[in-house]
Amino acid sequence: IKNALKPNHEQMENFNSGDLDTPIFMVNLLKFKEFACYEDGRETNLTGAEAYNIYSQEVQDRHLKKVGGKIIFSGAVSRLMLGEAEELWDIIAIAEYPNKKAMLEMITNNDYLESEKHRSAGLKGQLNIETSLNFLD
């Protein structure tokens, strides 16, 4: 398993191809840094979780609403019930978007990019898993 902060070129190409109009759900598996570390070098006493919480609140209050999205689940990981992993994630969250175009509109918006600084400062890494409701089709 390799946590990352940004999709690679191939992942973005694949995301931008195919059906851009069907609703999607993004499963976010999040791992926090012990202490936040901002790219601009600002001094902070925030933990990674606290910095990410700033991002999370801004995304819920402003950015998702602008594109018709919403958080449908968020919770702390307590234990691994089945399977094996070297390290567990800290939080799992699921965001619903009306379609891929809406998510792309959000993540490329300049206002969102200001909020994203808190995400990058707080996250050690994450997995984003794109899902849809039509898995049997």
Side-chain angles (χ1 to χ4, degrees), residues 59 61-69 105-106 109 111-112:
V59 165
D61 295 344
R62 297 195 329 246
H63 308 303
L64 280 169
K65 288 180 183 179
K66 284 181 189 175
V67 299
E105 178 185 330
M106 184 185 90
N109 178 281
D111 190 32
Y112 169 83

Side-chain angles (χ1 to χ4, degrees), residues 25-94:
F25 300 83
M26 290 302 272
V27 178
N28 298 269
L29 306 177
L30 308 168
K31 188 68 180 168
F32 300 123
K33 295 175 184 171
E34 186 176 352
F35 297 102
C37 180
Y38 286 87
E39 290 179 14
D40 62 11
R42 75 181 76 171
E43 295 286 325
T44 183
N45 292 325
L46 295 173
T47 65
E50 290 168 336
Y52 186 85
N53 191 50
I54 294 168
Y55 162 80
S56 178
Q57 285 302 169
E58 291 180 5
V59 165
Q60 289 181 71
D61 295 344
R62 297 195 329 246
H63 308 303
L64 280 169
K65 288 180 183 179
K66 284 181 189 175
V67 299
K70 62 184 174 183
I71 299 294
I72 60 171
F73 174 80
S74 178
V77 174
S78 352
R79 74 184 64 75
L80 190 60
M81 165 106 183
L82 178 66
E84 296 179 24
E86 288 182 25
E87 189 175 21
L88 294 181
W89 293 272
D90 296 317
I91 299 284
I92 296 175
I94 302 173

Side-chain angles (χ1 to χ4, degrees), residues 51 54-55 58-59 62-63 110-120:
I54 294 168
Y55 162 80
E58 291 180 5
V59 165
R62 297 195 329 246
H63 308 303
N110 286 334
D111 190 32
Y112 169 83
L113 294 173
E114 277 300 310
S115 297
E116 197 281 331
K117 293 175 183 177
H118 301 293
R119 175 187 163 275
S120 292

